[in-house]
Amino acid sequence: QVQLVESGGGLVQPGGSLTLSCAASGSGFRFLTMGWYRQAPGKQRELVAQITISSNTYYAEFVRGRFTISRDNSRKTVSLQMDSLKPEDTAAYYCNGGVTATRTTAGGSWGQGTQVTVSS
């Protein structure tokens, strides 16, 4: 299993942008489907975006057109560019990875999470 560490969270005003990064350690990163999930207080964790080993991407409807997921296999990183942020995007964001991850089943590796707060 790989270890995942997120960075890049913080406080941003509505309409602003933020980039989250996830660094993986261990081998086999290029074989993993990677994703970003989020969890707001009192709500279930939900898939935000996912990128496969062939860089096919999926976005939840609530972020489509505003967020962009990308990966760099040589650096073993996955990023989430978040634009036009809204207060309802406020949540803890988690990096996830797994060989068998799908849109409905998360992978087995999780990061510790990074907080994103959108507020004026």
Side-chain angles (χ1 to χ4, degrees), residues 18-114:
L18 209 57
T19 301
L20 305 183
S21 294
C22 173
S25 60
S27 61
F29 176 81
R30 65 185 184 277
F31 300 120
L32 303 179
T33 289
M34 299 299 298
W36 287 94
Y37 285 73
R38 72 185 188 186
Q39 187 169 19
K43 295 188 176 181
Q44 287 190 330
R45 192 171 296 190
E46 58 187 359
L47 177 62
V48 174
Q50 198 173 60
I51 186 166
T52 69
I53 60 175
S54 54
S55 292
N56 292 320
T57 57
Y58 165 80
Y59 297 94
E61 186 174 351
F62 51 80
V63 302
R64 204 164 292 160
R66 300 188 296 123
F67 290 12
T68 303
I69 189 171
S70 60
R71 68 188 296 159
D72 185 333
N73 288 339
S74 64
R75 297 185 177 185
K76 296 195 288 187
T77 59
V78 60
S79 298
L80 186 68
Q81 173 68 39
M82 305 185 293
D83 298 319
S84 302
L85 282 161
K86 305 175 181 179
E88 51 263 44
D89 294 319
T90 296
Y93 283 72
Y94 297 88
C95 182
N96 175 263
V99 173
T100 58
T102 66
R103 296 178 189 178
T104 56
T105 304
S109 298
W110 290 96
Q112 82 287 354
T114 186

